[in-house]
């Protein structure tokens, strides 16, 4: 017996046999706009978080190349030591300015940002209260922090209130929600959540806006879209989606950012975001500011797809670029994925538990054309004929 037994018992090949063909870890090549080469054919990628299409933008790529030429491929150390560059500081300053928050701190990725912030600010005796669909990085961070973990029913403000009221009055509490939920694409009811949080002066609110920043309110995110940007205590964003890079940032009042900057393990004990990644995020941020129509475009495109799918009978809702199509089980999910790929040259995202219930996660981009929208709707029309239960409006 050993800790390896679970690995020996796990049979990835069985997944493939059951589902006919193994769909995970496809090798993608030569991305261009909303397309990518897979198995030697150019396909439409409708599973990406590259919401503004900037990951292949000439200017963003050039910024990354220039940064490599100036700073090398790695800074080979933590920012607090000898791993910082002017790019990191510029990115923080411009991000704080754009999002209208006092200060920002850039981490190596979004996952680390949530981990670094929550583990550093919360500990035994505190309460971390999460929406049940909060991102995995938030759940893990809350567990690692040693704080008491409480979860409330998704987007249910009365349930949040009840959970908070059940915490000791004299304990510190952190409420964490996603601005946009990555699997369903729905938004948190932030104004109502804030109203509840403000009932108790010991509650702070953190919003993970990985999928809302760079999309809503001309890029300023979900809280700005809902008119409550000033009310968020800790705003988390990632660069791995709209901002065409990797990395993440926390925005908050200056003293909190300064504290995290000097104490968060996920900041101090890991290498800084690479120069190329930092420059790409900075270039993307500048483009978002200069060209807000990109944000408007992705929202218009995703609305058109959503309406098209709804008219076909699919149960789609929400208002973000994320349009999930629920599939019910693994075999339908994988068959539907292959059907889209083989017959329509369309690559969709496959989602399975524990990430969320079985679905094709589709998400759109400012790089999509009107013809792409038609092609996607037509492809789903065909899919709905083959798998009629997909069209059962839920
Ligand atoms: N938060 C949310 C809501 C996410 O969807 C993700 C990643 N998909 C993360 C955090 C982690 O971000 P990253 O991939 O940039 O590390």
């Amino acid at each position: 017996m050993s800790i390896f037994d679970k690995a020996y018992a796990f049979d990835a090949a069985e997944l493939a046999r059951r589902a006919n063909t193994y769909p995970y870890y496809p090798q993608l090549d030569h991305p261009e706009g909303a397309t990518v080469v897979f198995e030697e054919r150019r396909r439409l990628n409708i599973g990406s978080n590259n919401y503004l299409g900037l990951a292949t933008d000439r200017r963003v790529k050039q910024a990354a190349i220039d940064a490599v030429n100036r700073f090398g491929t790695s800074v080979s150390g933590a920012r607090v030591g000898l791993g910082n560059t002017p790019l990191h500081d510029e990115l923080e300053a411009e991000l704080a300015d754009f999002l209208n928050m006092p200060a920002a701190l850039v981490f190596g990725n979004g996952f680390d940002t949530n981990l670094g912030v929550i583990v550093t600010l919360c500990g035994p005796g505190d309460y971390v209260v999460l929406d049940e669909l909060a991102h995995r990085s938030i759940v893990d961070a809350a567990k690692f922090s040693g704080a008491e973990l409480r979860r409330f029913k998704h987007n249910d403000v009365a349930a949040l209130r009840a959970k908070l009221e059940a915490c000791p009055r004299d304990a510190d509490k952190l409420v964490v929600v996603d601005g946009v939920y990555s699997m369903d694409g729905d938004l948190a009811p932030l104004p109502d959540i804030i109203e509840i949080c403000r009932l108790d002066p010991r509650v702070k609110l953190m919003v993970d806006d990985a999928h809302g920043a760079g999309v809503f309110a001309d890029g300023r995110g979900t809280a700005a879209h809902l008119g409550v940007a000033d009310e968020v205590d800790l705003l988390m964003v990632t660069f791995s989606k709209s901002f065409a890079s990797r990395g993440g940032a926390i925005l908050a009042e200056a003293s909190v950012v300064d504290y995290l900057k000097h104490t968060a393990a996920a900041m101090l004990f890991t290498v800084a975001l690479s120069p190329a990644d930092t420059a790409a995020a900075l270039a993307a941020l500048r483009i978002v500011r200069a060209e807000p129509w990109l944000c408007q475009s992705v929202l218009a495109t995703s609305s058109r797809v959503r309406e098209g799918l709804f008219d076909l009978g699919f149960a789609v809702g929400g208002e973000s670029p994320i349009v999930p199509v629920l599939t019910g089980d693994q075999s339908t999910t994988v068959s539907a994925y292959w059907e889209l790929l083989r017959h329509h040259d369309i690559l969709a995202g496959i989602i399975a538990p524990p990430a969320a219930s079985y679905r094709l996660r589709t998400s759109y981009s400012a790089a999509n054309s009107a013809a792409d929208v038609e092609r996607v709707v037509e492809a789903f029309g065909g899919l709905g004929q083959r798998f009629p239960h997909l069209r059962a409006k839920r």
Side-chain angles (χ1 to χ4, degrees):
M1 295 281 283
S2 80
I3 56 165
F4 286 180
D5 288 347
K6 49 190 163 299
Y8 302 143
F10 178 78
D11 187 356
E14 171 59 18
L15 276 181
R17 272 194 298 280
R18 262 194 289 150
N20 240 343
T21 324
Y22 183 77
Y24 302 110
Y25 295 92
Q27 291 184 352
L28 305 186
D29 211 342
H30 295 297
E32 197 50 67
T35 68
V36 70
V37 172
F38 174 59
E39 291 181 343
E40 295 174 8
R41 281 175 70 92
R42 189 156 284 282
R43 327 273 185 156
L44 185 61
N45 180 356
I46 59 162
S48 169
N49 298 315
N50 178 20
Y51 298 130
L52 303 183
L54 293 177
T56 53
D57 184 277
R58 178 185 46 78
R59 297 160 292 177
V60 178
K61 289 204 272 192
Q62 192 58 51
I65 292 164
D66 293 346
V68 169
N69 286 333
R70 179 168 166 198
F71 300 102
T73 51
S74 172
V75 291
S76 314
R79 289 182 61 198
V80 66
L82 302 177
N84 203 40
T85 70
L87 289 175
H88 294 88
D89 292 346
E90 275 169 48
L91 179 57
E92 287 175 349
E94 292 192 27
L95 199 62
D97 183 51
F98 177 58
L99 296 173
N100 203 20
M101 293 287 282
L105 184 64
V106 167
F107 287 78
N109 62 39
F111 203 104
D112 278 5
T113 310
N114 282 335
L115 200 59
V117 171
I118 295 170
V119 167
T120 311
L121 292 179
C122 304
D126 300 329
Y127 286 74
V128 179
V129 183
L130 306 181
D131 186 289
E132 65 184 352
L133 297 187
H135 189 258
R136 174 63 180 263
S137 54
I138 298 169
V139 180
D140 279 4
K143 286 182 184 162
F144 294 162
S145 77
E148 292 291 330
L149 172 58
R150 300 286 183 269
R151 300 176 81 168
F152 63 95
K153 192 162 170 283
H154 177 54
N155 274 352
D156 183 333
V157 183
L160 166 63
R161 184 176 187 155
K163 289 286 175 191
L164 282 174
E165 282 174 356
C167 299
R169 191 80 191 154
D170 61 352
D172 291 325
K173 298 133 198 142
L174 174 68
V175 171
V176 194
V177 297
D178 292 8
V180 176
Y181 286 86
S182 59
M183 293 297 143
D184 291 326
D186 54 338
L187 274 54
L190 290 177
D192 296 340
I193 289 174
I194 286 162
E195 210 178 301
I196 300 298
C197 290
R198 292 298 166 254
L199 295 174
D200 178 348
R202 298 192 69 158
V203 173
K204 294 291 181 196
L205 173 66
M206 175 167 172
V207 175
D208 173 338
D209 212 16
H211 298 271
V215 172
F216 288 106
D218 290 347
R220 288 178 176 78
T222 312
H225 172 61
L226 299 174
V228 290
D230 294 348
E231 302 286 329
V232 174
D233 300 305
L234 292 154
L235 173 63
M236 180 273 188
V237 299
T238 56
F239 305 128
S240 54
K241 285 116 183 135
S242 287
F243 298 102
S245 181
R246 59 170 293 134
I250 195 75
L251 295 108
E253 56 188 84
S255 50
V256 173
V257 165
D258 209 40
Y259 176 70
L260 291 169
K261 189 169 179 172
H262 294 94
T263 57
M267 189 72 198
L268 302 182
F269 298 99
T270 187
V271 68
L273 190 61
S274 81
D277 291 325
T278 314
L282 186 56
L285 173 62
R286 289 175 178 164
I287 293 172
V288 173
R289 296 190 86 156
E291 301 177 20
W293 60 268
L294 287 168
C295 305
Q296 295 148 20
S297 162
V298 61
L299 288 172
T301 293
S302 38
S303 288
R304 282 200 295 276
V305 173
R306 199 179 294 106
E307 279 158 24
L309 297 194
F310 187 84
D311 290 347
L312 287 168
F314 288 91
V316 287
E319 53 178 310
S320 75
I322 302 162
V323 185
V325 174
L326 302 183
T327 44
D329 59 68
Q330 189 198 29
S331 138
T332 311
T333 318
V334 177
S335 306
Y337 167 87
W338 284 115
E339 176 95 2
L340 284 180
L341 185 65
R342 297 277 177 250
H343 298 292
H344 304 277
D345 280 329
I346 291 177
L347 267 167
I350 284 198
I351 302 293
S357 60
Y358 285 106
R359 67 192 61 196
L360 291 179
R361 179 186 180 277
T362 79
S363 49
Y364 300 91
S365 145
N368 284 127
S369 63
D372 292 345
V373 172
E374 272 175 38
R375 181 169 157 198
V376 168
V377 173
E378 197 188 310
F380 273 98
L383 209 61
Q385 305 265 312
R386 253 195 67 124
F387 304 98
H389 67 284
L390 293 186
R391 285 183 295 139
K393 277 192 179 134
R394 273 157 265 238

